[in-house]
């Protein structure tokens, strides 16, 4: 998955892109199957940290957290840790 994403970013940006600190794990959110993928990349001298959460509930949901300042990591981690599934009414 990492190499496919690097190829996609590189093709889109027209320059070689390398994903650093790449991590992918299967998890669950309140019993719903989920995945968490995170990585850093640097484009034009700006480091971008991104975490993507995918949840399989009544539908498929994807949440993306992107930090370009280096200041949001703790807030994003707290938000991810507090995610809960809400039953469909």
């Amino acid at each position: 998955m990492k190499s496919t994403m690097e190829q996609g970013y590189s093709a889109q940006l027209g320059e070689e892109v390398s994903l650093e600190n790449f991590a992918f794990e299967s998890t669950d959110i309140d019993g719903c199957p989920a995945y968490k993928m995170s990585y850093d990349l640097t484009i034009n001298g700006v480091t971008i940290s991104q975490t993507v959460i995918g949840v399989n509930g009544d539908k498929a949901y994807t949440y993306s957290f992107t930090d370009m300042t280096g200041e949001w990591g703790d807030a994003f981690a707290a938000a991810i840790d507090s995610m809960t599934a809400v039953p469909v009414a």
Side-chain angles (χ1 to χ4, degrees):
M1 177 179 287
K2 180 183 177 204
S3 63
T4 300
M5 291 180 65
E6 287 172 333
Q7 290 171 6
Y9 274 119
S10 295
Q12 187 177 35
L13 298 170
E15 64 182 74
E16 192 68 25
V17 173
S18 177
L19 301 182
E20 304 296 327
N21 304 312
F22 184 87
F24 183 93
E25 65 179 292
S26 295
T27 186
D28 71 83
I29 304 289
D30 268 359
C32 295
Y35 69 85
K36 178 180 177 182
M37 178 176 57
S38 59
Y39 55 87
D40 300 327
L41 67 147
T42 301
I43 301 171
N44 295 327
V46 176
T47 299
I48 302 167
S49 298
Q50 185 161 49
T51 300
V52 179
I53 307 292
V55 182
N56 184 10
D58 64 323
K59 298 179 182 176
Y61 299 90
T62 304
Y63 305 90
S64 296
F65 299 84
T66 304
D67 182 6
M68 296 175 64
T69 66
E71 298 177 8
W72 288 93
D74 291 340
F76 289 164
I80 292 166
D81 290 342
S82 70
M83 293 176 81
T84 58
V86 177
V88 176

